[in-house]
Every structure is written in structure tokens, then in C-alpha cells.
Amino acid sequence: AQSVTQLDSQVPVFEEAPVELRCNYSSSVSVYLFWYVQYPNQGLQLLLKYLSGSTLVESINGFEAEFNKSQTSFHLRKPSVHISDTAEYFCAVSPVGATNKLIFGTGTLLAVQP
Amino acid sequence: KAGVTQTPRYLIKTRGQQVTLSCSPISGHRSVSWYQQTPGQGLQFLFEYFSETQRNKGNFPGRFSGRQFSNSRSEMNVSTLELGDSALYLCASRETTGETDTQYFGPGTRLTVL
């Protein structure tokens, strides 16, 4: 079975500052990893994913995450945040080839302050 | 392509009633999963349907049921509603083409049980 830990329930940060949202996972098999973002009163939007290949993956709005197999981590980073990045971020894991068995972390609220 | 659509977006019911939620997946996607999201329990997997058959089921009572139609549209039913069923219900459709395996989520249905 897989599990996901997001240690930070809330991360306050000032606008234009860098941010890192931490995600660690546990699994006895190879995994896919995902970050989803949820804006207030909306569903989940896929932010980025690691399926295979390069361990550094990027989103179109400046976020990036690096798959670190030895540390079983998939931390999300952005060098300069905007007010509009305020949202809840969920890390998720599934066995390879089985995203129908997606397991989510508890979420991290990124609160960007002016 | 149009995204995952869910109807209705908001519902208010009273205890003891039943409710039906609808989900239309992205065109061409045959797998539909349902999740319940609450502040206390986070995102919990309800069930997955593929080609009109329930393929996986989470740990929810039998009051929660679903079905999938030949056009891949899915419905979820909750009978004998309880206050604790108040939640955001998310539907996800799964893309499995080539090397891609990813779930895409709809905007959700916010159910309030009074």
C-alpha cells in the first residue's frame, strides 16, 4: 500500500518570495507522483506529474517538483509566488500504471500575503 | 476537449432523503472515479467504474452506490442521507493512452445535508 505525508498544513509566505511545499511518500512498489491544486470552491486541477523520465518536472505557471527516490520525496517549489497562487495543494501517489488507486496527502494551504 | 463536468454544482438536502449526482468524463475516457472531500477526513476514494462495471470500491457504507452508462457517464447515489454526508463530491476521469496515466477532476458537487 502507498501513503503520502504532507507535513505542513499551512505555509504563509510573502508575495514574490520563494516557497517549498513538502511531500513524502511510502511505497513498496514503483510509483507515479502528482501535485494537484484546489482553489476556493473549486475542484482539483492537475498541476504537474512524474510518471517516468526526468526527475524534475515543471508546470506552465512556474512550479516545479523533483522526484527523489532515495528520500522518497516529491517537494513542490516556486521561486517567486503571486497572490493568485493562494490555494490548497495536494500531493498524490499511485502505483505505476494504476492511477485509479490514487492516494492523497492531507493538503497544504499556501497563503500568499502582499 | 471539454473537461470533466459534474451536475449539479450545489445541493441542499435534509436527513433521510436520497440524492443522485452526475458526472460526465472527458470524451474518450472510460474510467470514472468518485471521491468524497471533507475538512476532517480529506479526500477519500468512493469507487471506480470502468466500462459500466464497478472495478474498485473504497470503505464506505452501502448507502453509497454508483453506476456507469454505456457513454461512460456516471451517477452516484446516496440514500438515507446523514449530516456527516455533507461534503464536496469529486468525480475524476482517467486518461490511459500511450505512456500517459492521469486522473482529471471535475469541479465537484457541494452537498449540504440539513
Side-chain angles (χ1 to χ4, degrees), chain A residues 15-63:
Chain A
E15 195 173 18
E16 297 184 6
V19 70
E20 179 179 83
L21 306 185
R22 296 180 293 168
C23 172
N24 288 90
Y25 70 92
S26 172
S27 177
S28 58
V29 299
S30 296
V31 296
Y32 291 157
L33 291 156
F34 303 84
W35 277 99
Y36 287 87
V37 58
Q38 186 175 37
Y39 298 99
N41 299 314
Q42 294 188 25
L44 298 176
Q45 297 178 25
L46 179 66
L47 188 59
L48 46 75
K49 61 185 178 183
Y50 169 79
L51 301 185
S52 64
S54 173
T55 57
L56 183 65
V57 290
E58 298 176 352
S59 73
I60 58 174
N61 57 353
F63 283 94

mmCIF file of all heavy atoms in Angstrom, chain A residues 15-63:
data_model
loop_
_atom_site.group_PDB
_atom_site.id
_atom_site.type_symbol
_atom_site.label_atom_id
_atom_site.label_comp_id
_atom_site.label_asym_id
_atom_site.label_seq_id
_atom_site.Cartn_x
_atom_site.Cartn_y
_atom_site.Cartn_z
ATOM 1 N N GLU A 15 4.372 37.706 -0.961
ATOM 2 C CA GLU A 15 4.407 37.759 -2.420
ATOM 3 C C GLU A 15 5.836 37.977 -2.908
ATOM 4 O O GLU A 15 6.607 38.719 -2.302
ATOM 5 C CB GLU A 15 3.498 38.882 -2.907
ATOM 6 C CG GLU A 15 3.176 38.819 -4.382
ATOM 7 C CD GLU A 15 2.141 39.847 -4.812
ATOM 8 O OE1 GLU A 15 1.930 40.824 -4.059
ATOM 9 O OE2 GLU A 15 1.538 39.668 -5.878
ATOM 10 N N GLU A 16 6.194 37.302 -3.981
ATOM 11 C CA GLU A 16 7.496 37.335 -4.652
ATOM 12 C C GLU A 16 8.575 36.558 -3.898
ATOM 13 O O GLU A 16 9.714 36.492 -4.369
ATOM 14 C CB GLU A 16 7.958 38.768 -4.920
ATOM 15 C CG GLU A 16 7.026 39.539 -5.867
ATOM 16 C CD GLU A 16 7.540 40.923 -6.200
ATOM 17 O OE1 GLU A 16 8.659 41.261 -5.793
ATOM 18 O OE2 GLU A 16 6.797 41.682 -6.859
ATOM 19 N N ALA A 17 8.240 35.960 -2.776
ATOM 20 C CA ALA A 17 9.210 35.112 -2.059
ATOM 21 C C ALA A 17 9.174 33.703 -2.631
ATOM 22 O O ALA A 17 8.183 33.301 -3.242
ATOM 23 C CB ALA A 17 8.876 35.089 -0.574
ATOM 24 N N PRO A 18 10.246 32.936 -2.437
ATOM 25 C CA PRO A 18 10.226 31.524 -2.869
ATOM 26 C C PRO A 18 9.455 30.669 -1.872
ATOM 27 O O PRO A 18 9.289 31.041 -0.711
ATOM 28 C CB PRO A 18 11.713 31.145 -2.877
ATOM 29 C CG PRO A 18 12.308 32.032 -1.821
ATOM 30 C CD PRO A 18 11.527 33.321 -1.886
ATOM 31 N N VAL A 19 9.002 29.510 -2.340
ATOM 32 C CA VAL A 19 8.260 28.618 -1.458
ATOM 33 C C VAL A 19 8.574 27.169 -1.805
ATOM 34 O O VAL A 19 8.885 26.844 -2.960
ATOM 35 C CB VAL A 19 6.734 28.862 -1.567
ATOM 36 C CG1 VAL A 19 6.186 28.393 -2.901
ATOM 37 C CG2 VAL A 19 5.995 28.189 -0.420
ATOM 38 N N GLU A 20 8.525 26.316 -0.789
ATOM 39 C CA GLU A 20 8.640 24.879 -0.988
ATOM 40 C C GLU A 20 7.551 24.199 -0.170
ATOM 41 O O GLU A 20 7.430 24.430 1.034
ATOM 42 C CB GLU A 20 10.010 24.359 -0.553
ATOM 43 C CG GLU A 20 10.146 22.840 -0.721
ATOM 44 C CD GLU A 20 11.507 22.319 -0.328
ATOM 45 O OE1 GLU A 20 11.730 22.102 0.887
ATOM 46 O OE2 GLU A 20 12.347 22.086 -1.224
ATOM 47 N N LEU A 21 6.756 23.367 -0.823
ATOM 48 C CA LEU A 21 5.745 22.567 -0.146
ATOM 49 C C LEU A 21 6.242 21.135 -0.143
ATOM 50 O O LEU A 21 6.529 20.563 -1.190
ATOM 51 C CB LEU A 21 4.399 22.663 -0.876
ATOM 52 C CG LEU A 21 3.851 24.067 -1.127
ATOM 53 C CD1 LEU A 21 2.465 23.998 -1.749
ATOM 54 C CD2 LEU A 21 3.832 24.897 0.147
ATOM 55 N N ARG A 22 6.314 20.553 1.048
ATOM 56 C CA ARG A 22 6.953 19.254 1.178
ATOM 57 C C ARG A 22 5.970 18.090 1.026
ATOM 58 O O ARG A 22 4.828 18.153 1.494
ATOM 59 C CB ARG A 22 7.651 19.152 2.540
ATOM 60 C CG ARG A 22 8.799 20.141 2.703
ATOM 61 C CD ARG A 22 9.454 19.997 4.063
ATOM 62 N NE ARG A 22 8.556 20.395 5.136
ATOM 63 C CZ ARG A 22 8.797 20.139 6.423
ATOM 64 N NH1 ARG A 22 9.886 19.472 6.775
ATOM 65 N NH2 ARG A 22 7.955 20.555 7.341
ATOM 66 N N CYS A 23 6.449 17.044 0.379
ATOM 67 C CA CYS A 23 5.661 15.831 0.191
ATOM 68 C C CYS A 23 6.592 14.630 0.290
ATOM 69 O O CYS A 23 7.592 14.549 -0.429
ATOM 70 C CB CYS A 23 4.973 15.833 -1.165
ATOM 71 S SG CYS A 23 4.161 14.270 -1.589
ATOM 72 N N ASN A 24 6.265 13.719 1.184
ATOM 73 C CA ASN A 24 6.999 12.449 1.275
ATOM 74 C C ASN A 24 6.011 11.307 1.095
ATOM 75 O O ASN A 24 4.860 11.411 1.498
ATOM 76 C CB ASN A 24 7.705 12.327 2.627
ATOM 77 C CG ASN A 24 8.896 13.252 2.725
ATOM 78 O OD1 ASN A 24 8.787 14.395 3.147
ATOM 79 N ND2 ASN A 24 10.052 12.761 2.293
ATOM 80 N N TYR A 25 6.471 10.249 0.497
ATOM 81 C CA TYR A 25 5.578 9.119 0.258
ATOM 82 C C TYR A 25 6.218 7.837 0.752
ATOM 83 O O TYR A 25 7.425 7.763 0.996
ATOM 84 C CB TYR A 25 5.245 9.011 -1.238
ATOM 85 C CG TYR A 25 6.413 8.572 -2.082
ATOM 86 C CD1 TYR A 25 6.635 7.221 -2.372
ATOM 87 C CD2 TYR A 25 7.322 9.503 -2.574
ATOM 88 C CE1 TYR A 25 7.718 6.817 -3.115
ATOM 89 C CE2 TYR A 25 8.407 9.107 -3.322
ATOM 90 C CZ TYR A 25 8.606 7.773 -3.598
ATOM 91 O OH TYR A 25 9.694 7.381 -4.330
ATOM 92 N N SER A 26 5.384 6.826 0.882
ATOM 93 C CA SER A 26 5.849 5.499 1.265
ATOM 94 C C SER A 26 5.211 4.505 0.314
ATOM 95 O O SER A 26 4.004 4.565 0.053
ATOM 96 C CB SER A 26 5.435 5.191 2.707
ATOM 97 O OG SER A 26 5.725 3.854 3.030
ATOM 98 N N SER A 27 6.040 3.608 -0.217
ATOM 99 C CA SER A 27 5.510 2.603 -1.133
ATOM 100 C C SER A 27 6.517 1.471 -1.279
ATOM 101 O O SER A 27 7.724 1.700 -1.309
ATOM 102 C CB SER A 27 5.234 3.213 -2.503
ATOM 103 O OG SER A 27 4.785 2.226 -3.410
ATOM 104 N N SER A 28 5.998 0.257 -1.420
ATOM 105 C CA SER A 28 6.859 -0.903 -1.642
ATOM 106 C C SER A 28 7.026 -1.199 -3.128
ATOM 107 O O SER A 28 7.802 -2.085 -3.495
ATOM 108 C CB SER A 28 6.271 -2.130 -0.928
ATOM 109 O OG SER A 28 4.961 -2.371 -1.396
ATOM 110 N N VAL A 29 6.299 -0.434 -3.969
ATOM 111 C CA VAL A 29 6.403 -0.629 -5.420
ATOM 112 C C VAL A 29 6.715 0.723 -6.073
ATOM 113 O O VAL A 29 6.639 1.764 -5.433
ATOM 114 C CB VAL A 29 5.097 -1.204 -6.002
ATOM 115 C CG1 VAL A 29 4.793 -2.565 -5.382
ATOM 116 C CG2 VAL A 29 3.924 -0.249 -5.766
ATOM 117 N N SER A 30 7.046 0.665 -7.340
ATOM 118 C CA SER A 30 7.320 1.907 -8.066
ATOM 119 C C SER A 30 6.045 2.732 -8.172
ATOM 120 O O SER A 30 4.943 2.183 -8.240
ATOM 121 C CB SER A 30 7.857 1.585 -9.457
ATOM 122 O OG SER A 30 9.085 0.919 -9.371
ATOM 123 N N VAL A 31 6.227 4.054 -8.205
ATOM 124 C CA VAL A 31 5.052 4.935 -8.123
ATOM 125 C C VAL A 31 5.043 6.015 -9.192
ATOM 126 O O VAL A 31 6.067 6.326 -9.796
ATOM 127 C CB VAL A 31 4.968 5.625 -6.739
ATOM 128 C CG1 VAL A 31 4.769 4.601 -5.637
ATOM 129 C CG2 VAL A 31 6.211 6.486 -6.479
ATOM 130 N N TYR A 32 3.844 6.538 -9.408
ATOM 131 C CA TYR A 32 3.640 7.809 -10.096
ATOM 132 C C TYR A 32 3.366 8.838 -8.997
ATOM 133 O O TYR A 32 2.765 8.515 -7.967
ATOM 134 C CB TYR A 32 2.430 7.758 -11.017
ATOM 135 C CG TYR A 32 2.556 6.890 -12.240
ATOM 136 C CD1 TYR A 32 1.413 6.404 -12.877
ATOM 137 C CD2 TYR A 32 3.786 6.575 -12.807
ATOM 138 C CE1 TYR A 32 1.479 5.635 -14.023
ATOM 139 C CE2 TYR A 32 3.874 5.802 -13.956
ATOM 140 C CZ TYR A 32 2.714 5.328 -14.565
ATOM 141 O OH TYR A 32 2.785 4.566 -15.693
ATOM 142 N N LEU A 33 3.738 10.091 -9.262
ATOM 143 C CA LEU A 33 3.529 11.149 -8.283
ATOM 144 C C LEU A 33 2.876 12.354 -8.935
ATOM 145 O O LEU A 33 3.169 12.683 -10.091
ATOM 146 C CB LEU A 33 4.872 11.560 -7.659
ATOM 147 C CG LEU A 33 5.499 10.490 -6.761
ATOM 148 C CD1 LEU A 33 6.993 10.676 -6.656
ATOM 149 C CD2 LEU A 33 4.851 10.524 -5.384
ATOM 150 N N PHE A 34 2.010 13.011 -8.204
ATOM 151 C CA PHE A 34 1.225 14.115 -8.739
ATOM 152 C C PHE A 34 1.123 15.249 -7.706
ATOM 153 O O PHE A 34 1.139 15.003 -6.494
ATOM 154 C CB PHE A 34 -0.211 13.657 -9.063
ATOM 155 C CG PHE A 34 -0.277 12.503 -10.024
ATOM 156 C CD1 PHE A 34 -0.157 11.200 -9.567
ATOM 157 C CD2 PHE A 34 -0.468 12.725 -11.370
ATOM 158 C CE1 PHE A 34 -0.216 10.124 -10.445
ATOM 159 C CE2 PHE A 34 -0.527 11.660 -12.263
ATOM 160 C CZ PHE A 34 -0.400 10.361 -11.795
ATOM 161 N N TRP A 35 0.993 16.448 -8.215
ATOM 162 C CA TRP A 35 0.547 17.582 -7.422
ATOM 163 C C TRP A 35 -0.718 18.130 -8.070
ATOM 164 O O TRP A 35 -0.754 18.379 -9.286
ATOM 165 C CB TRP A 35 1.607 18.692 -7.365
ATOM 166 C CG TRP A 35 2.662 18.470 -6.323
ATOM 167 C CD1 TRP A 35 3.918 17.967 -6.507
ATOM 168 C CD2 TRP A 35 2.565 18.767 -4.926
ATOM 169 N NE1 TRP A 35 4.598 17.930 -5.319
ATOM 170 C CE2 TRP A 35 3.801 18.412 -4.335
ATOM 171 C CE3 TRP A 35 1.559 19.308 -4.112
ATOM 172 C CZ2 TRP A 35 4.053 18.578 -2.965
ATOM 173 C CZ3 TRP A 35 1.816 19.468 -2.764
ATOM 174 C CH2 TRP A 35 3.049 19.111 -2.197
ATOM 175 N N TYR A 36 -1.755 18.279 -7.231
ATOM 176 C CA TYR A 36 -2.993 18.909 -7.655
ATOM 177 C C TYR A 36 -3.175 20.190 -6.849
ATOM 178 O O TYR A 36 -2.771 20.272 -5.690
ATOM 179 C CB TYR A 36 -4.193 17.986 -7.401
ATOM 180 C CG TYR A 36 -4.307 16.811 -8.346
ATOM 181 C CD1 TYR A 36 -3.655 15.612 -8.080
ATOM 182 C CD2 TYR A 36 -5.090 16.885 -9.491
ATOM 183 C CE1 TYR A 36 -3.770 14.530 -8.935
ATOM 184 C CE2 TYR A 36 -5.215 15.802 -10.360
ATOM 185 C CZ TYR A 36 -4.554 14.631 -10.067
ATOM 186 O OH TYR A 36 -4.662 13.559 -10.919
ATOM 187 N N VAL A 37 -3.866 21.172 -7.444
ATOM 188 C CA VAL A 37 -4.146 22.421 -6.755
ATOM 189 C C VAL A 37 -5.659 22.618 -6.711
ATOM 190 O O VAL A 37 -6.369 22.268 -7.664
ATOM 191 C CB VAL A 37 -3.444 23.620 -7.438
ATOM 192 C CG1 VAL A 37 -3.863 23.772 -8.892
ATOM 193 C CG2 VAL A 37 -3.716 24.916 -6.681
ATOM 194 N N GLN A 38 -6.125 23.122 -5.575
ATOM 195 C CA GLN A 38 -7.551 23.375 -5.409
ATOM 196 C C GLN A 38 -7.752 24.817 -4.964
ATOM 197 O O GLN A 38 -7.356 25.186 -3.857
ATOM 198 C CB GLN A 38 -8.163 22.411 -4.393
ATOM 199 C CG GLN A 38 -9.671 22.526 -4.275
ATOM 200 C CD GLN A 38 -10.254 21.466 -3.346
ATOM 201 O OE1 GLN A 38 -9.671 21.095 -2.336
ATOM 202 N NE2 GLN A 38 -11.438 20.954 -3.705
ATOM 203 N N TYR A 39 -8.362 25.611 -5.821
ATOM 204 C CA TYR A 39 -8.712 26.983 -5.475
ATOM 205 C C TYR A 39 -10.045 26.968 -4.724
ATOM 206 O O TYR A 39 -10.817 26.008 -4.851
ATOM 207 C CB TYR A 39 -8.783 27.854 -6.726
ATOM 208 C CG TYR A 39 -7.449 27.943 -7.438
ATOM 209 C CD1 TYR A 39 -7.177 27.150 -8.546
ATOM 210 C CD2 TYR A 39 -6.444 28.790 -6.968
ATOM 211 C CE1 TYR A 39 -5.947 27.210 -9.186
ATOM 212 C CE2 TYR A 39 -5.213 28.852 -7.593
ATOM 213 C CZ TYR A 39 -4.967 28.056 -8.698
ATOM 214 O OH TYR A 39 -3.747 28.106 -9.314
ATOM 215 N N PRO A 40 -10.335 28.000 -3.954
ATOM 216 C CA PRO A 40 -11.565 28.012 -3.148
ATOM 217 C C PRO A 40 -12.805 27.694 -3.973
ATOM 218 O O PRO A 40 -13.005 28.242 -5.056
ATOM 219 C CB PRO A 40 -11.583 29.440 -2.605
ATOM 220 C CG PRO A 40 -10.152 29.842 -2.547
ATOM 221 C CD PRO A 40 -9.509 29.199 -3.742
ATOM 222 N N ASN A 41 -13.599 26.783 -3.426
ATOM 223 C CA ASN A 41 -14.873 26.405 -4.046
ATOM 224 C C ASN A 41 -14.727 25.820 -5.444
ATOM 225 O O ASN A 41 -15.628 25.964 -6.275
ATOM 226 C CB ASN A 41 -15.824 27.612 -4.078
ATOM 227 C CG ASN A 41 -16.135 28.114 -2.692
ATOM 228 O OD1 ASN A 41 -16.437 27.334 -1.787
ATOM 229 N ND2 ASN A 41 -16.028 29.412 -2.501
ATOM 230 N N GLN A 42 -13.606 25.190 -5.690
ATOM 231 C CA GLN A 42 -13.399 24.545 -6.988
ATOM 232 C C GLN A 42 -12.934 23.110 -6.799
ATOM 233 O O GLN A 42 -12.648 22.669 -5.687
ATOM 234 C CB GLN A 42 -12.390 25.337 -7.821
ATOM 235 C CG GLN A 42 -12.866 26.720 -8.221
ATOM 236 C CD GLN A 42 -11.933 27.386 -9.200
ATOM 237 O OE1 GLN A 42 -11.203 26.719 -9.943
ATOM 238 N NE2 GLN A 42 -11.946 28.710 -9.219
ATOM 239 N N GLY A 43 -12.871 22.386 -7.909
ATOM 240 C CA GLY A 43 -12.352 21.022 -7.869
ATOM 241 C C GLY A 43 -10.836 21.011 -7.909
ATOM 242 O O GLY A 43 -10.188 22.045 -7.752
ATOM 243 N N LEU A 44 -10.271 19.845 -8.120
ATOM 244 C CA LEU A 44 -8.819 19.685 -8.186
ATOM 245 C C LEU A 44 -8.335 19.885 -9.610
ATOM 246 O O LEU A 44 -8.904 19.345 -10.545
ATOM 247 C CB LEU A 44 -8.418 18.289 -7.722
ATOM 248 C CG LEU A 44 -8.756 17.904 -6.287
ATOM 249 C CD1 LEU A 44 -8.374 16.455 -6.037
ATOM 250 C CD2 LEU A 44 -8.030 18.807 -5.319
ATOM 251 N N GLN A 45 -7.259 20.635 -9.743
ATOM 252 C CA GLN A 45 -6.632 20.809 -11.050
ATOM 253 C C GLN A 45 -5.247 20.180 -11.011
ATOM 254 O O GLN A 45 -4.498 20.398 -10.064
ATOM 255 C CB GLN A 45 -6.502 22.296 -11.389
ATOM 256 C CG GLN A 45 -7.811 23.041 -11.506
ATOM 257 C CD GLN A 45 -7.596 24.514 -11.792
ATOM 258 O OE1 GLN A 45 -6.567 24.915 -12.350
ATOM 259 N NE2 GLN A 45 -8.560 25.336 -11.428
ATOM 260 N N LEU A 46 -4.926 19.417 -12.042
ATOM 261 C CA LEU A 46 -3.600 18.826 -12.113
ATOM 262 C C LEU A 46 -2.561 19.920 -12.322
ATOM 263 O O LEU A 46 -2.670 20.721 -13.242
ATOM 264 C CB LEU A 46 -3.542 17.824 -13.269
ATOM 265 C CG LEU A 46 -2.197 17.142 -13.490
ATOM 266 C CD1 LEU A 46 -1.852 16.232 -12.305
ATOM 267 C CD2 LEU A 46 -2.215 16.350 -14.789
ATOM 268 N N LEU A 47 -1.566 19.944 -11.454
ATOM 269 C CA LEU A 47 -0.507 20.952 -11.548
ATOM 270 C C LEU A 47 0.696 20.382 -12.293
ATOM 271 O O LEU A 47 1.199 20.980 -13.235
ATOM 272 C CB LEU A 47 -0.101 21.388 -10.146
ATOM 273 C CG LEU A 47 0.851 22.575 -10.018
ATOM 274 C CD1 LEU A 47 0.275 23.821 -10.662
ATOM 275 C CD2 LEU A 47 1.168 22.829 -8.542
ATOM 276 N N LEU A 48 1.166 19.218 -11.855
ATOM 277 C CA LEU A 48 2.248 18.542 -12.555
ATOM 278 C C LEU A 48 2.303 17.086 -12.107
ATOM 279 O O LEU A 48 1.664 16.711 -11.129
ATOM 280 C CB LEU A 48 3.596 19.244 -12.345
ATOM 281 C CG LEU A 48 4.003 19.685 -10.953
ATOM 282 C CD1 LEU A 48 4.442 18.522 -10.096
ATOM 283 C CD2 LEU A 48 5.135 20.715 -11.029
ATOM 284 N N LYS A 49 3.065 16.300 -12.862
ATOM 285 C CA LYS A 49 3.111 14.874 -12.588
ATOM 286 C C LYS A 49 4.467 14.305 -12.957
ATOM 287 O O LYS A 49 5.155 14.801 -13.860
ATOM 288 C CB LYS A 49 2.015 14.149 -13.370
ATOM 289 C CG LYS A 49 2.157 14.290 -14.884
ATOM 290 C CD LYS A 49 0.964 13.660 -15.611
ATOM 291 C CE LYS A 49 1.089 13.856 -17.123
ATOM 292 N NZ LYS A 49 -0.089 13.321 -17.860
ATOM 293 N N TYR A 50 4.830 13.252 -12.235
ATOM 294 C CA TYR A 50 6.002 12.459 -12.584
ATOM 295 C C TYR A 50 5.525 11.045 -12.870
ATOM 296 O O TYR A 50 4.961 10.371 -12.008
ATOM 297 C CB TYR A 50 7.032 12.439 -11.450
ATOM 298 C CG TYR A 50 8.109 11.416 -11.722
ATOM 299 C CD1 TYR A 50 9.144 11.704 -12.613
ATOM 300 C CD2 TYR A 50 8.070 10.153 -11.142
ATOM 301 C CE1 TYR A 50 10.109 10.759 -12.907
ATOM 302 C CE2 TYR A 50 9.037 9.202 -11.428
ATOM 303 C CZ TYR A 50 10.044 9.511 -12.322
ATOM 304 O OH TYR A 50 10.993 8.567 -12.620
ATOM 305 N N LEU A 51 5.753 10.617 -14.108
ATOM 306 C CA LEU A 51 5.433 9.238 -14.478
ATOM 307 C C LEU A 51 6.718 8.453 -14.722
ATOM 308 O O LEU A 51 6.853 7.303 -14.286
ATOM 309 C CB LEU A 51 4.544 9.209 -15.720
ATOM 310 C CG LEU A 51 3.195 9.952 -15.624
ATOM 311 C CD1 LEU A 51 2.377 9.734 -16.892
ATOM 312 C CD2 LEU A 51 2.412 9.514 -14.399
ATOM 313 N N SER A 52 7.641 9.065 -15.448
ATOM 314 C CA SER A 52 8.920 8.422 -15.741
ATOM 315 C C SER A 52 9.838 9.483 -16.349
ATOM 316 O O SER A 52 9.420 10.616 -16.576
ATOM 317 C CB SER A 52 8.745 7.246 -16.698
ATOM 318 O OG SER A 52 8.282 7.712 -17.949
ATOM 319 N N GLY A 53 11.077 9.106 -16.617
ATOM 320 C CA GLY A 53 11.987 10.017 -17.297
ATOM 321 C C GLY A 53 12.635 11.004 -16.353
ATOM 322 O O GLY A 53 13.002 10.664 -15.228
ATOM 323 N N SER A 54 12.745 12.250 -16.793
ATOM 324 C CA SER A 54 13.408 13.279 -15.999
ATOM 325 C C SER A 54 12.758 13.420 -14.632
ATOM 326 O O SER A 54 11.528 13.493 -14.522
ATOM 327 C CB SER A 54 13.368 14.623 -16.725
ATOM 328 O OG SER A 54 13.871 15.644 -15.881
ATOM 329 N N THR A 55 13.571 13.481 -13.613
ATOM 330 C CA THR A 55 13.028 13.559 -12.251
ATOM 331 C C THR A 55 12.561 14.961 -11.905
ATOM 332 O O THR A 55 11.900 15.152 -10.889
ATOM 333 C CB THR A 55 14.081 13.108 -11.228
ATOM 334 O OG1 THR A 55 15.253 13.927 -11.381
ATOM 335 C CG2 THR A 55 14.436 11.643 -11.424
ATOM 336 N N LEU A 56 12.914 15.942 -12.723
ATOM 337 C CA LEU A 56 12.466 17.322 -12.491
ATOM 338 C C LEU A 56 11.333 17.618 -13.467
ATOM 339 O O LEU A 56 11.518 17.548 -14.674
ATOM 340 C CB LEU A 56 13.629 18.298 -12.701
ATOM 341 C CG LEU A 56 13.296 19.772 -12.423
ATOM 342 C CD1 LEU A 56 12.969 19.972 -10.950
ATOM 343 C CD2 LEU A 56 14.468 20.665 -12.836
ATOM 344 N N VAL A 57 10.180 17.938 -12.926
ATOM 345 C CA VAL A 57 9.030 18.234 -13.768
ATOM 346 C C VAL A 57 8.551 19.649 -13.471
ATOM 347 O O VAL A 57 8.673 20.142 -12.343
ATOM 348 C CB VAL A 57 7.890 17.220 -13.555
ATOM 349 C CG1 VAL A 57 8.282 15.871 -14.112
ATOM 350 C CG2 VAL A 57 7.521 17.087 -12.080
ATOM 351 N N GLU A 58 8.004 20.293 -14.499
ATOM 352 C CA GLU A 58 7.609 21.690 -14.366
ATOM 353 C C GLU A 58 6.162 21.894 -14.812
ATOM 354 O O GLU A 58 5.652 21.156 -15.650
ATOM 355 C CB GLU A 58 8.531 22.571 -15.231
ATOM 356 C CG GLU A 58 9.988 22.506 -14.820
ATOM 357 C CD GLU A 58 10.888 23.309 -15.744
ATOM 358 O OE1 GLU A 58 10.398 23.789 -16.787
ATOM 359 O OE2 GLU A 58 12.077 23.463 -15.419
ATOM 360 N N SER A 59 5.526 22.919 -14.238
ATOM 361 C CA SER A 59 4.188 23.297 -14.672
ATOM 362 C C SER A 59 4.275 24.551 -15.522
ATOM 363 O O SER A 59 5.317 25.213 -15.573
ATOM 364 C CB SER A 59 3.292 23.548 -13.453
ATOM 365 O OG SER A 59 3.657 24.759 -12.826
ATOM 366 N N ILE A 60 3.167 24.890 -16.149
ATOM 367 C CA ILE A 60 3.166 26.047 -17.040
ATOM 368 C C ILE A 60 3.177 27.364 -16.265
ATOM 369 O O ILE A 60 3.479 28.402 -16.823
ATOM 370 C CB ILE A 60 1.953 26.033 -17.994
ATOM 371 C CG1 ILE A 60 0.638 26.002 -17.197
ATOM 372 C CG2 ILE A 60 2.042 24.837 -18.933
ATOM 373 C CD1 ILE A 60 -0.588 26.138 -18.064
ATOM 374 N N ASN A 61 2.860 27.330 -14.982
ATOM 375 C CA ASN A 61 2.807 28.582 -14.215
ATOM 376 C C ASN A 61 3.962 28.714 -13.223
ATOM 377 O O ASN A 61 3.829 29.373 -12.199
ATOM 378 C CB ASN A 61 1.463 28.714 -13.500
ATOM 379 C CG ASN A 61 1.174 27.540 -12.587
ATOM 380 O OD1 ASN A 61 1.910 26.566 -12.569
ATOM 381 N ND2 ASN A 61 0.113 27.646 -11.821
ATOM 382 N N GLY A 62 5.090 28.078 -13.531
ATOM 383 C CA GLY A 62 6.312 28.342 -12.774
ATOM 384 C C GLY A 62 6.611 27.409 -11.615
ATOM 385 O O GLY A 62 7.647 27.553 -10.964
ATOM 386 N N PHE A 63 5.730 26.470 -11.305
ATOM 387 C CA PHE A 63 6.028 25.496 -10.256
ATOM 388 C C PHE A 63 6.904 24.372 -10.822
ATOM 389 O O PHE A 63 6.837 24.073 -12.013
ATOM 390 C CB PHE A 63 4.736 24.879 -9.705
ATOM 391 C CG PHE A 63 3.989 25.781 -8.760
ATOM 392 C CD1 PHE A 63 2.971 26.601 -9.226
ATOM 393 C CD2 PHE A 63 4.288 25.795 -7.407
ATOM 394 C CE1 PHE A 63 2.271 27.430 -8.361
ATOM 395 C CE2 PHE A 63 3.601 26.612 -6.535
ATOM 396 C CZ PHE A 63 2.585 27.429 -7.011
#
